Amino acid sequence: YWLRDDVFFLAGDDELINLWDITSAANRPVKTLTGHSASIVALRFFSNLLISGSFYGDLKLWLVDSSFTGHIYFEREAHDLGVTCIDVLSPQSIENHHHHHHPPYFIASGGNDNLVKIWHCSSSSSKQHLTLIRTLKRHSCAVMCVSFGAKEYLASGSGDKSIVIWN
């Protein structure tokens, strides 16, 4: 799940992402995003986008404030054996950024393939896409969590009982 303002994003084994308005008395989601073909295990919101990762290993980008309910970008097999976690580094955290309309976002994903991958999410002519910029190999078991911290550091934790701080 992920919470932004009064909107609650919920995803799971039913392969759906449901957006709920927590201030509403309605007993149904405001919007349902469809398109995954496996359990959704990771979800993060940024800008007007949502990124999700599934048990099959794919990453998908979705537009939140739009009537469109399908994904706008699809990265097949981002991780062999499945995505386990995602975090997003917001442009406000990056020093000296001079972008005004579509600032760059960096996304970290972890997987059952023991890898941490860093993606650049950018926009060009109203299309968003992910570009793999780095694959980090240090863990010997599945990566269970990734988290951007101060400045441009990333922490990852694994089933091998290790935590790695990446610069």
Side-chain angles (χ1 to χ4, degrees):
Y1 70 92
W2 189 252
L3 182 64
R4 178 197 73 151
D5 300 328
D6 293 330
V7 179
F8 186 67
F9 303 90
L10 187 64
D13 290 342
D14 61 2
E15 303 167 6
L16 301 175
I17 300 171
N18 289 305
L19 283 63
W20 297 86
D21 181 347
I22 60 174
T23 64
S24 168
N27 61 354
R28 73 178 103 164
V30 176
K31 183 176 177 182
T32 298
L33 305 174
T34 60
H36 272 293
S37 54
S39 296
I40 301 164
V41 294
L43 201 59
R44 280 292 180 272
F45 171 82
F46 62 104
S47 181
N48 182 32
L49 298 172
L50 193 67
I51 185 165
S52 59
S54 86
F55 186 73
Y56 278 174
D58 53 333
L59 291 172
K60 292 189 178 192
L61 286 174
W62 313 82
L63 271 176
V64 175
D65 300 326
S66 160
S67 58
F68 184 61
T69 58
H71 58 270
I72 57 169
Y73 182 82
F74 178 42
E75 185 70 39
R76 187 185 307 276
E77 296 174 7
H79 285 273
D80 289 344
L81 311 173
V83 173
T84 53
C85 50
I86 297 171
D87 198 21
V88 177
L89 179 66
S90 70
Q92 293 82 3
S93 309
I94 303 171
E95 294 175 15
N96 304 323
H97 93 79
H98 300 290
H99 303 275
H100 52 286
H101 188 53
H102 290 292
Y105 285 86
F106 293 94
I107 295 165
S109 62
N112 284 317
D113 54 6
N114 311 347
L115 301 176
V116 174
K117 293 187 178 184
I118 308 296
W119 308 84
H120 179 253
C121 180
S122 58
S123 300
S124 58
S125 66
S126 77
K127 284 197 175 280
Q128 281 78 21
H129 55 277
L130 295 178
T131 305
L132 178 63
I133 55 174
R134 193 156 293 145
T135 299
L136 307 174
K137 303 176 186 180
R138 185 71 55 85
H139 293 292
S140 59
C141 280
V143 177
M144 308 306 287
C145 60
V146 288
S147 181
F148 284 106
K151 300 201 182 270
E152 293 175 27
Y153 288 100
L154 174 74
S156 59
S158 167
D160 64 14
K161 301 181 182 177
S162 72
I163 296 171
V164 178
I165 308 296
W166 309 89
N167 184 350

